[in-house]
Amino acid sequence: MPLKLPKIIGHRGCAAYAPENTLEGIHTAADMDIDWVELDVKLTKDEVPIIFHDDTLDRTTNGTGNMADRTYKELKDLECGSWFGESFIGIQIPTLEEALEVLIDRDMGLNLEIKPCPGREKETAEVALDLLSTIWDDHDRLLISSFQHVSLEVAHDIANDWHRGLLLPEEWPENWAELADYLQVSSVNVNAEHVTREQVETIMDMEKLVLAYTVNNPDQARILQSWGVDGFFSDCPDALQEGVFSVH
Ligand code: G3P
Ligand code: MG
């Protein structure tokens, strides 16, 4: 089952135009004819999978402190739009289930990044994949990725035939190639600012797809594409749509 991966994936939904990791961000990407979005999933204290990036609440909500110390109900009482702009005041942190419903309704693909709070690498993957298995049928439009090898190992063990992506930070771990092989990933997802042409070619030689995050500049996308990069995570997908890839 090949991965039906588009060139452009909306990063954290469509993070330049709507608050990151929200239902509004998914709709914004869909309205731009973006086929896939990337979303980050974490667990609440009572193990509800929610769409959220940071370990703490301060940057993107009106709450403070550690996200993992709050229950689902406590988190639903927060709002996560006013930091971004007045027109988003009052919106809530979505659950994974709510996000999946919107994605299915808008006929979109998903790169779900398992983004566990420290120490919850295994549970976050287990709970998220369990929910996905009950809701999501379109496995050629689903990519499970993580910086956390333990989370990818869970995905490998419980959903072996779903596509996985190994996320690499600025500094690649020495054993990244062994990890990519062992975890049987379909893609290696690299930091666009730090990757070299040689590294891109090494991944291509392994017959894995190369995805680059986060690319908002069309010139950078053009260079990376000329090296062989297959897809781009972008906060402003319209800039790449217009500047690099013609989608219509
Ligand atoms: O999955 C690509 C990208 O989202 C990884 O970094 O911090 O934006 O989740 P981050
Ligand atoms: Mg992410």
Side-chain angles (χ1 to χ4, degrees):
M1 183 180 51
L3 191 56
K4 283 195 201 144
L5 199 70
K7 288 275 177 203
I8 309 171
I9 299 173
H11 183 235
R12 304 185 195 174
C14 197
Y17 300 118
E20 64 185 54
N21 285 321
T22 62
L23 302 183
E24 289 71 14
I26 301 172
H27 283 297
T28 303
D31 291 344
M32 286 181 176
D33 288 333
I34 296 302
D35 292 328
W36 280 49
V37 288
E38 184 260 4
L39 300 171
D40 303 291
V41 65
K42 298 172 102 69
L43 286 188
T44 66
K45 185 178 180 188
D46 47 346
E47 301 221 329
V48 177
I50 59 160
I51 301 300
F52 203 74
H53 181 275
D54 294 0
D55 288 343
T56 54
L57 297 165
D58 304 58
R59 181 177 64 90
T60 59
T61 79
N62 59 345
T64 56
N66 287 336
M67 193 283 295
D69 295 340
R70 307 298 172 88
T71 62
Y72 162 72
K73 194 178 166 307
E74 286 168 341
L75 291 167
K76 274 291 181 188
D77 285 340
L78 300 179
E79 77 87 40
C80 63
S82 59
W83 71 278
F84 190 87
E86 274 185 18
S87 54
F88 296 100
I89 289 173
I91 66 173
Q92 294 179 328
I93 301 168
T95 62
L96 173 59
E97 185 168 0
E98 289 165 343
L100 296 179
E101 281 164 8
V102 172
L103 290 165
I104 291 165
D105 190 45
R106 301 293 309 249
D107 192 25
M108 296 179 87
L110 171 65
N111 171 209
L112 188 66
E113 182 187 338
I114 312 283
K115 191 78 141 182
C117 289
R120 309 196 84 190
E121 292 77 9
K122 197 161 174 280
E123 302 89 306
T124 307
E126 283 169 352
V127 173
L129 267 64
D130 190 43
L131 179 66
L132 272 165
S133 70
T134 65
I135 298 183
W136 195 273
D137 294 327
D138 206 356
H139 291 150
D140 52 2
R141 287 209 297 171
L142 176 67
L143 176 67
I144 306 294
S145 65
S146 190
F147 288 106
Q148 304 302 328
H149 314 146
V150 172
S151 301
L152 287 176
E153 198 167 22
V154 169
H156 173 274
D157 291 349
I158 68 178
N160 188 260
D161 54 338
W162 299 8
H163 292 281
R164 288 173 294 283
L166 175 64
L167 266 162
L168 293 178
E170 285 178 32
E171 298 251 343
W172 293 18
E174 252 175 51
N175 62 343
W176 72 271
E178 289 93 308
L179 281 169
D181 266 341
Y182 163 68
L183 295 165
Q184 296 178 302
V185 296
S186 304
S187 72
V188 178
N189 305 356
V190 301
N191 184 312
E193 295 295 327
H194 297 274
V195 74
T196 64
R197 181 174 202 147
E198 195 185 11
Q199 287 174 319
V200 169
E201 285 168 359
T202 309
I203 300 169
M204 289 164 65
D205 287 345
M206 294 169 73
E207 299 188 351
K208 314 264 182 216
L209 297 169
V210 188
L211 306 183
Y213 67 92
T214 303
V215 181
N216 296 330
N217 178 336
D219 293 333
Q220 186 183 27
R222 250 182 244 111
I223 292 167
L224 291 170
Q225 192 185 34
S226 76
W227 293 357
V229 170
D230 297 285
F232 302 88
F233 298 98
S234 183
D235 298 323
C236 47
D238 56 337
L240 302 197
Q241 262 176 335
E242 286 157 22
V244 188
F245 311 105
S246 179
V247 290
H248 296 296

